[in-house]
Amino acid sequence: MKKLHIEGTRYSPRIELDPETRTLLIEGDSYPENAVDVYGPLITALDEYFEQPNTPLNIKMLSFFQNTSSSKMITDMLAKLQRFFDQGHPVELTWFYPSDDLEIKDTFELFLEDASFPYSITQLEE
Amino acid sequence: MNTSFDVHAIYQLMHDSHIQFSYKGPITQDVLISLGDTIKEELHRDDCDAKVIRRVFSVLVEAAHNILKYSSEKTVLDKSKTVGIGLIGIGKTPEGCFVVFSGNFVSPTEAEDIKTRLDYINTLSPSELTRNYQQQMRQGTISANGSAGLGLYEVARKSGRPIDYSFTPGPDGMMFFEMKIVVEVED
């Protein structure tokens, strides 16, 4: 499949799903009016990405702020990744939080509460 | 334009109510970004914690998106996009906390729905609030307009105290719904 590249905007993150480097990057604040428009294409692309068995994916989240519409789409995305992990695909995730806001760390921990794939919530080195 | 309104009265009202910013009109995404930038910059200059700035902005975004989507007063912008009209702003309490306020007209049915939700949310403890939020997040569905049904939960979570709201009857049977959300500065 081709690389999925979604441009970031003032209110939506840059999204890059690269089948060659086996990486997914989500970078930037997320508060679009309708997060389905932003994350929908990614969630669809993940189905194609994981078509072959045992496809690894390394995810980096560099998004500190989400409105509820985005949080819902991210929750759905994480649930989907969990299902792919359960099917045997090596999925791992790193979510960075800023050093000036530890409340965010709690938020990310909530998102990942049910995840059994390897993940880390890491402070971003400035 | 009618210029016979009293600017001094507006100044006095904003001054006496400790209102820092206020906008009334179509709540577009562009308005939200500009308002957000201005508020964030002001809070930053005020030596506000990054954590508090994000909390305030979170409440602002959810309140703004609710007006955008659910206001009964609407306008159609170029590209035939329909956006809700309302009032949104921030102020300060005498104790130094921030207040995000919003106001817009809604239908009577919508008003009933909002009241039911807010009355329920206002009974929840912080941990119950988080649990309900989590449950809705996982089991709820997102609507075609991007609404996850979580805006008021998020507002309550970021505020840390019951949401102050009221309804006032307006023209054409519509109800004016207003919220005042206090965002704590300390933990």
Side-chain angles (χ1 to χ4, degrees), chain B residues 24-36:
Chain B
K24 182 261 178 193
I27 310 288
T28 63
Q29 191 71 2
D30 281 341
V31 161
L32 176 56
I33 293 167
S34 305
L35 198 57

Side-chain angles (χ1 to χ4, degrees), chain A residues 14-17 23-27 58 60-62:
Chain A
R14 171 163 77 107
I15 298 174
E16 278 179 13
L17 177 63
T23 56
L24 169 61
L25 171 70
I26 298 179
E27 179 177 25
N58 186 303
K60 264 197 192 42
M61 304 276 294
L62 267 150

Side-chain angles (χ1 to χ4, degrees), chain B residues 115-129 132 153 156 161-163 165:
Chain B
K115 184 176 190 313
T116 307
R117 279 180 196 242
L118 280 174
D119 285 347
Y120 176 64
I121 286 170
N122 279 345
T123 64
L124 301 177
S125 68
S127 58
E128 283 169 339
L129 200 47
N132 270 262
Y153 276 105
R161 51 169 100 166
I163 297 170
Y165 78 92

Side-chain angles (χ1 to χ4, degrees), chain A residues 12-79:
Chain A
S12 66
R14 171 163 77 107
I15 298 174
E16 278 179 13
L17 177 63
D18 192 339
E20 265 171 58
T21 58
R22 323 281 200 127
T23 56
L24 169 61
L25 171 70
I26 298 179
E27 179 177 25
D29 287 347
S30 189
Y31 55 102
E33 185 191 327
N34 191 338
V36 179
D37 294 340
V38 175
Y39 294 90
L42 168 62
I43 293 187
T44 309
L46 286 173
D47 284 329
E48 195 188 338
Y49 183 91
F50 286 112
E51 243 162 41
Q52 298 306 316
N54 303 314
T55 314
L57 182 62
N58 186 303
I59 304 144
K60 264 197 192 42
M61 304 276 294
L62 267 150
S63 177
F64 303 153
F65 183 90
Q66 297 84 32
N67 66 344
T68 55
S69 189
S70 304
S71 297
K72 174 55 183 165
M73 292 307 286
I74 289 170
T75 299
D76 287 355
M77 178 193 78
L78 291 173

Side-chain angles (χ1 to χ4, degrees), chain B residues 39-91:
Chain B
I39 289 171
K40 282 188 241 181
E41 203 178 296
E42 181 61 34
L43 295 187
H44 184 68
R45 256 205 301 270
D46 220 6
D47 251 340
C48 216
D49 243 356
K51 185 168 66 177
V52 174
I53 296 176
R54 279 199 188 94
R55 266 188 221 156
V56 172
F57 189 59
S58 191
V59 172
L60 194 75
V61 169
E62 299 304 328
H65 281 163
N66 274 355
I67 298 174
L68 169 60
K69 288 175 190 170
Y70 300 114
S71 178
S72 61
E73 203 186 350
K74 293 184 187 321
T75 188
V76 180
L77 300 179
D78 40 78
K79 296 188 185 152
S80 45
K81 180 158 169 39
T82 305
V83 299
I85 292 169
L87 171 77
I88 193 151
I90 74 164

Side-chain angles (χ1 to χ4, degrees), chain B residues 10-24:
Chain B
I10 296 173
Y11 177 95
Q12 209 58 53
L13 173 64
M14 289 184 76
H15 177 81
D16 293 344
S17 313
H18 307 282
I19 292 170
Q20 289 181 287
F21 295 99
S22 189
Y23 167 86
K24 182 261 178 193

